[in-house]
Amino acid sequence: MEDTGGKEMASAEASGFSDLSDSEFLDLEDTQESSPSLGKPGSSEFPKSDKCINLPKGKRDLDVPSPLERFNLKYLYVTDLSTQNWCEQQMVYGKEIPDFLTPEKEAVLNTGASIHLARELEVHDLVTVSVVTKEDAWAVKFLNILSMIPTLQSEGCIREFPVFGEVEGVLLVGVIDELHYTDKGELELAELKTRRRPMTPLKAQKRKDCFQVSLYKYIFDAMVQGKVTPASLIHHTKLCPEKPLGPSVLRHAQQGGFSVKSFGDLMELVFLSLTLSDLPVIDILKIEYIHQETAAVLDTEVVTFEEKEVKSKMQHYMAYWMGQREPQGVDVEDAWKCRTCSYADICEWRKCGGQCSSTLEPQAKRTR
C-alpha cells in the first residue's frame, strides 16, 4: 500500500449515512441490453395498454402520509434527487422494492465501489470503529470531517467527504468523491463515474450527474458559510446531543486529539471547525467518466453551477417527498429510458402512456 503518512479515516457499519460513495449509483442507461419488448432504440412511444390504473387527482387527503412518512425517512440522499432527475417513478419503485437488483447490476455496483475504495486508500487508511448507537454512527462521520478539513488545507486533497444540510425543509446528505485545490488555488470538486462499457454517457445521464454535483456544491457551500445548524440536524435526525459516545468512538476521538465525551461535544466541534477554518466555497465542478475494465478516461465534463435552476429543481422534487404532488415518470420524448429500467414491466406510468399521475395543487393553495 502507498504510504499515506499515517492518515486514517474511520469507517463503521450502519453509519449515519452511507459510507458508499454516491458515485456508486447505477449507470442508468448502460446497465443492461435493450429489451425488444420495450420498443426500438430511440423510440419515443409508450406502449399501449388497457390496464391503466387511474390515480387520484386533485387534492391529496391530508390523512394520507407523505412519502417521507410512508418510507419512514428522516433524511434523503443526494442520489434520491438525482434519480428523480432521471426518472422519478423509477426512484419511487426503488424505495418500494429495494431488493429488485439483477446480478448484472450488482456486479456493476461492486466493481465501481472497488475502484472508488482503491482511490480513497491512495490518500488515507481506513480504521474500523465499532458503533453502539445512531449517535456513534454520525460521530464517525463527524470525526472524519474534523480530520479531513486540516488535511485539505495543508495537503490540498481529500476524498469521500460527508456533506449534509437542509433543503426545502428536508435534510439532504451525501458523500463528495474528491475535493482538491488547483494550481490557481481554486477549490475543485472532482466526481468519478465508472462505466461498464467504453462509451461516453448520453446527455440525459450527464444532466443527472451535473445535477448531483450541483447539489453537493449547494450543501457544502452552506456548511462552510454557517447556514447549516446543529438545531436543524437534531430536528431531522432525532439524535440526542447528551448521549455519551461509545467506547470505540471515544477512543478514536481521543487518539485524534479531541477532548469530547458526548455526541453534542463532538457536534459543536464540527460546526465550529466548518465555519472557522476559512474553507472556501467550491469554485469548480468536474465529472470524469472512466471505463471500469481499462480505467481509460472516456469523457470529462466541467459543470456550470446554475443556482436558480438547481433551486427550482429541488423545490419540484421535494414537493413529491412532502406529499404535495404524485410521482411522475418520464416525458414521452424520454420513453427510451424505459428500455433499461428494471421496473418497466410493472410501471403504471408507462402502461398508461405517461398520464397516470397528476401534479397536485401547491401546499399554499390547499390551506384554507
Side-chain angles (χ1 to χ4, degrees):
M1 180 181 296
E2 182 179 342
D3 182 13
T4 60
K7 297 186 291 297
E8 295 179 342
M9 293 294 113
S11 65
E13 294 183 0
S15 60
F17 45 96
S18 176
D19 280 320
L20 188 63
S21 169
D22 283 348
S23 301
E24 290 326 305
F25 185 65
L26 282 173
D27 196 359
L28 290 172
E29 90 277 359
D30 187 35
T31 52
Q32 65 183 43
E33 298 291 342
S34 297
S35 171
S37 64
L38 301 182
K40 297 179 181 179
S43 170
S44 60
E45 295 295 326
F46 285 105
K48 303 299 181 181
S49 174
D50 295 327
K51 299 180 179 179
C52 182
I53 299 177
N54 294 319
L55 300 182
K57 295 185 178 181
K59 299 179 182 179
R60 179 188 292 274
D61 189 334
L62 296 181
D63 292 331
V64 176
S66 70
L68 280 175
E69 295 167 333
R70 182 158 59 93
F71 294 121
N72 194 29
L73 300 175
K74 292 183 174 66
Y75 49 80
L76 297 175
Y77 295 95
V78 166
T79 44
D80 288 326
L81 269 65
S82 62
T83 315
Q84 286 177 271
N85 187 261
W86 175 265
C87 176
E88 186 170 73
Q89 187 64 70
Q90 184 189 69
M91 182 278 301
V92 174
Y93 281 131
K95 295 293 184 184
E96 294 175 339
I97 317 173
D99 295 327
F100 200 83
L101 188 64
T102 66
E104 181 184 20
K105 289 187 177 183
E106 187 173 8
V108 171
L109 284 175
N110 291 339
T111 302
S114 297
I115 292 172
H116 278 85
L117 178 59
R119 285 171 60 90
E120 183 179 2
L121 291 173
E122 290 175 357
V123 296
H124 56 240
D125 294 327
L126 293 178
V127 177
T128 300
V129 177
S130 299
V131 298
V132 179
T133 65
K134 59 183 181 181
E135 285 78 12
D136 281 352
W138 275 82
V140 168
K141 293 298 183 187
F142 285 169
L143 287 171
N144 285 342
I145 291 175
L146 288 171
S147 176
M148 288 183 182
I149 290 174
T151 300
L152 176 61
Q153 299 296 67
S154 63
E155 302 183 23
C157 181
I158 55 175
R159 288 177 180 153
E160 304 300 313
F161 186 84
V163 291
F164 52 89
E166 186 176 296
V167 173
E168 299 297 319
V170 179
L171 184 65
L172 195 62
V173 303
V175 182
I176 294 176
D177 255 7
E178 181 178 314
L179 290 169
H180 63 255
Y181 286 105
T182 66
D183 293 338
K184 296 181 180 181
E186 298 170 304
L187 184 58
E188 179 175 286
L189 181 154
E191 179 75 10
L192 178 69
K193 297 292 186 184
T194 64
R195 295 181 63 79
R196 183 170 62 89
R197 298 176 182 173
M199 56 192 296
T200 58
L202 300 178
K203 289 183 179 180
Q205 181 81 36
K206 285 187 176 183
R207 283 196 299 269
K208 178 191 74 68
D209 298 338
C210 290
F211 181 57
Q212 180 181 339
V213 297
S214 294
L215 287 175
Y216 288 147
K217 172 177 166 57
Y218 187 88
I219 301 172
F220 178 88
D221 290 358
M223 290 172 68
V224 300
Q225 291 173 335
K227 297 178 181 178
V228 182
T229 66
S232 174
L233 180 66
I234 295 301
H235 168 71
H236 289 289
T237 60
K238 311 303 180 186
L239 296 167
C240 179
E242 294 78 22
K243 179 78 71 173
L245 296 175
S248 182
V249 177
L250 187 60
R251 183 166 54 253
H252 190 76
Q254 293 171 343
Q255 290 173 350
F258 305 116
S259 299
V260 293
K261 293 183 179 179
S262 69
F263 174 74
D265 294 339
L266 188 58
M267 181 173 60
E268 182 179 355
L269 276 180
V270 168
F271 280 91
L272 283 174
S273 182
L274 284 169
T275 55
L276 300 179
S277 60
D278 294 325
L279 278 175
V281 297
I282 294 172
D283 299 300
I284 303 171
L285 300 172
K286 186 173 70 175
I287 306 171
E288 187 176 65
Y289 298 91
I290 69 169
H291 184 213
Q292 285 191 347
E293 184 176 349
T294 65
V297 177
L298 303 173
D299 197 9
T300 300
E301 185 84 7
V302 177
V303 180
T304 300
F305 180 71
E306 302 286 353
E307 185 172 0
K308 184 177 181 180
E309 181 180 350
V310 171
K311 284 185 176 181
S312 177
K313 288 183 178 180
M314 288 191 300
Q315 290 171 354
H316 176 69
Y317 297 143
M318 287 302 185
Y320 159 73
W321 289 106
M322 300 298 287
Q324 296 169 6
R325 64 174 179 82
E326 298 290 341
Q328 300 172 346
V330 297
D331 294 330
V332 173
E333 56 267 26
D334 287 331
W336 55 268
K337 294 179 180 179
C338 302
R339 299 197 312 268
T340 57
C341 179
S342 300
Y343 308 102
D345 291 340
I346 64 172
C347 180
E348 294 299 335
W349 178 273
R350 181 172 170 270
K351 291 177 182 178
C352 299
Q355 299 180 357
C356 283
S357 300
S358 63
T359 302
L360 302 184
E361 295 181 22
Q363 183 71 39
K365 292 184 179 181
R366 298 188 316 163
T367 302
R368 297 296 182 185

